[in-house]
Amino acid sequence: MVTLKRKLYRRGSSYETTIPLPLLFSLDTGKKYNVLFHYDEKTKRWYIEFEKQ
């Protein structure tokens, strides 16, 4: 499995990632997160996970 890790941060009035906004509604906007993109080569699908910093 391949994993990419990116920081999620505010830039003006938007978030600097390519994450759809409905996925962010469950997150506390006052905290910092890392976004982990997991690629499963068997199913050829990407999975997204949020990790607190």
Side-chain angles (χ1 to χ4, degrees):
M1 185 177 290
V2 177
T3 301
L4 301 172
K5 185 176 188 178
R6 299 289 181 260
K7 288 184 181 180
L8 177 66
Y9 59 93
R10 281 188 81 87
R11 185 173 183 182
S13 63
S14 65
Y15 287 93
E16 190 64 29
T17 58
T18 56
I19 306 295
L21 191 58
L23 292 177
L24 302 177
F25 285 139
S26 65
L27 299 179
D28 182 3
T29 57
K31 297 181 181 178
K32 294 183 179 182
Y33 294 91
N34 290 323
V35 182
L36 302 173
F37 298 92
H38 301 288
Y39 181 70
D40 188 356
E41 295 176 7
K42 292 180 182 178
T43 61
K44 298 187 188 298
R45 291 182 182 232
W46 286 94
Y47 298 94
I48 299 174
E49 179 182 350
F50 297 99
E51 169 186 81
K52 291 182 184 178
Q53 288 184 344

